[in-house]
Amino acid sequence: MYQQTFSRANPGCIVFLLDRSDSMKLDWHGTGLSLAQGAAQALNRILLDLCVKSTKEVGGAARHYFDVGVFGYGARPVLGGEGVESALGGALAGQPLVPIPQLFNNPLAVREERSVDAMPGSRIPVWVEPMFGYRTPMCQAIAEAGAHVYDWASAHPNSFPPIVINITDGMVTDSPHDGATLTEWAHRLTTIETNDGPALLLNIFLSPTGAAEVLFPTTPHGLPQPGPDLFEISSPLPKPMVANARASLVPVEDGARGFVFNASLVTLVKFLEIGTRVAEIR
């Protein structure tokens, strides 16, 4: 399992779920950014990284090695109630999964971003803007992602399994949703398969506190709520992901889960890089 390479014949599918709850407005400890700003900045950098991976030469066009989805979840104040919708805007607005060439060609803007790794800031494309102010319908977000992932896996049976990465800072406000709990929705998602294995669900639990960082744990011991619940629904790291983490000098024990608590901006970017670099591009 988890051995397939990314290619135009068998592209990968990577879906990001982005919490837009009210608490995302809180300051990210020691960064000068809000949680919403930091999450959006890290996500834009990873989207750029996927675009770069999909080009064969500098200045060349992106090739269809990935389909990417970005869903924001929270209340929709105009329509009322809670909801999940694509976090991409402009020409990509409303599209659940976008081929990487379309993403490459349609950023919202190109602007200066503060560095997350002590290097000078640089101008990078922006696809996702920071937002906050709503609740946390995480079950609905996973259900929505699951519906698109199911259709994608059915259409790409020989591809690397879909990867879903959930970025959140708060308690779930909609469990149960449609009669199923968060654990049950996560189980439904991770039982979707291609011939190369089940879909992966990774969770990033952000916090405005100065608590110790926990990266790729093997147990939920000591995690504040909802950390234990998020740990339990996080997929065990497949071997290629473990190898990528160790190659990045991140110590990972056997049995580690795809979970991080209270990540710094640097760690958040590293987690996203490891979580999206699990197979080679052919």
Side-chain angles (χ1 to χ4, degrees):
M1 295 193 300
Y2 304 113
Q3 298 300 314
Q4 182 60 270
T5 57
F6 297 134
S7 67
R8 283 178 286 184
N10 296 301
C13 177
I14 302 175
V15 176
F16 301 94
L17 304 179
L18 183 58
D19 183 349
R20 288 177 161 177
S21 61
D22 185 65
S23 53
M24 290 291 284
K25 69 185 179 186
L26 297 176
D27 291 338
W28 197 328
H29 182 74
T31 67
L33 301 172
S34 69
L35 295 173
Q37 290 172 320
Q41 180 175 328
L43 186 48
N44 284 318
R45 285 179 177 264
I46 293 306
L47 293 175
L48 175 60
D49 185 56
L50 292 175
C51 288
V52 171
K53 285 186 173 73
S54 300
T55 60
K56 285 296 186 181
E57 60 280 325
V58 175
R63 302 187 180 195
H64 188 189
Y65 292 141
F66 303 99
D67 292 308
V68 178
V70 185
F71 296 94
Y73 57 96
R76 290 176 289 182
V78 176
L79 301 177
E82 295 186 342
V84 179
E85 54 195 358
S86 173
L88 300 173
L92 306 177
Q95 297 189 43
L97 294 180
V98 179
I100 202 74
Q102 289 187 27
L103 188 83
F104 180 84
N105 291 324
N106 291 285
L108 292 173
V110 178
R111 67 170 69 112
E112 186 83 15
E113 291 287 346
R114 182 183 302 183
S115 171
V116 299
D117 50 14
M119 298 296 288
S122 58
R123 290 176 59 81
I124 71 167
V126 172
W127 290 275
V128 178
E129 298 282 14
M131 291 182 63
F132 58 83
Y134 319 131
R135 288 186 279 181
T136 315
M138 193 183 301
C139 290
Q140 187 179 353
I142 292 176
E144 180 78 11
H148 296 294
V149 163
Y150 178 84
D151 290 341
W152 186 93
S154 298
H156 301 83
N158 295 318
S159 286
F160 191 95
I163 303 167
V164 179
I165 302 178
N166 179 38
I167 305 174
T168 182
D169 81 318
M171 304 293 286
V172 182
T173 59
D174 68 339
S175 183
H177 169 70
D178 280 352
T181 65
L182 176 67
T183 299
E184 290 167 334
W185 280 113
H187 177 72
R188 294 179 187 184
L189 174 68
T190 54
T191 53
I192 298 169
E193 298 184 352
T194 68
N195 296 333
D196 196 38
L200 297 169
L201 175 60
L202 314 181
N203 285 282
I204 297 165
F205 180 14
L206 304 180
S207 173
T209 71
E213 184 176 274
V214 179
L215 179 62
F216 300 129
T218 57
T219 76
H221 179 72
L223 293 172
Q225 287 294 340
D229 293 337
L230 294 174
F231 170 85
E232 293 297 338
I233 67 172
S234 298
S235 298
L237 291 181
K239 289 182 179 180
M241 199 177 290
V242 171
N244 287 332
R246 291 172 177 169
S248 300
L249 304 182
V250 176
V252 178
E253 297 180 18
D254 292 339
R257 299 284 184 100
F259 175 83
V260 61
F261 167 68
N262 201 27
S264 66
L265 280 168
V266 172
T267 300
L268 174 55
V269 171
K270 183 173 291 187
F271 182 97
L272 290 170
E273 288 175 342
I274 292 169
T276 56
R277 194 188 303 149
V278 293
E280 296 297 325
I281 293 177
R282 185 185 306 160

